[in-house]
Amino acid sequence: MIHSVFQKQLIFELSGVHDANATEQLLNFSKAIADALGSQLTPAAPKNWTEAFWQLREFATPIIKKRKAVIFFDEFPWLSSHKSGFLSAFEYFWNQWASQ
């Protein structure tokens, strides 16, 4: 449904993987960034979620200066595994940048 409604605005999407650890989720994040950039080369996985959200911010900022955009996280609870740091990093990302 997200794809059909927001197809033209969707610039980044990431799906959490059930029972994957933070390292695996961050690797998937780097692959999602590569897809969003249209690159066949996957950048190095971020060391933590704070770094990942800074990468996302750097990627999205030039786009949202020109048009509205959608960033979609699917399976959000799976991204936030125990001690992953996802929720605190997302909270900062949201409050300091994305909600603006």
Side-chain angles (χ1 to χ4, degrees), residues 3 8-9 12 19 30 37 55-56 58-59 63 75 78 90-91 95 99:
H3 288 272
K8 292 181 181 179
Q9 294 91 2
F12 178 83
D19 286 336
S30 66
L37 289 167
Q55 287 179 11
L56 181 56
E58 289 176 14
F59 161 73
I63 297 168
E75 305 299 353
W78 292 348
F90 179 80
E91 179 181 21
N95 289 330
S99 65

Side-chain angles (χ1 to χ4, degrees), residues 1-14 32-33 36 56 59-61 63-74 90 93-94 97-98:
M1 185 164 131
I2 296 294
H3 288 272
S4 62
V5 174
F6 296 108
Q7 182 179 16
K8 292 181 181 179
Q9 294 91 2
L10 188 62
I11 63 166
F12 178 83
E13 67 178 299
L14 176 66
I33 284 284
L56 181 56
F59 161 73
T61 295
I63 297 168
I64 64 169
K65 285 182 179 181
K66 297 177 184 175
R67 63 182 174 94
K68 290 184 180 184
V70 172
I71 295 171
F72 177 54
F73 293 95
D74 194 19
F90 179 80
F93 168 78
W94 179 259
W97 183 79

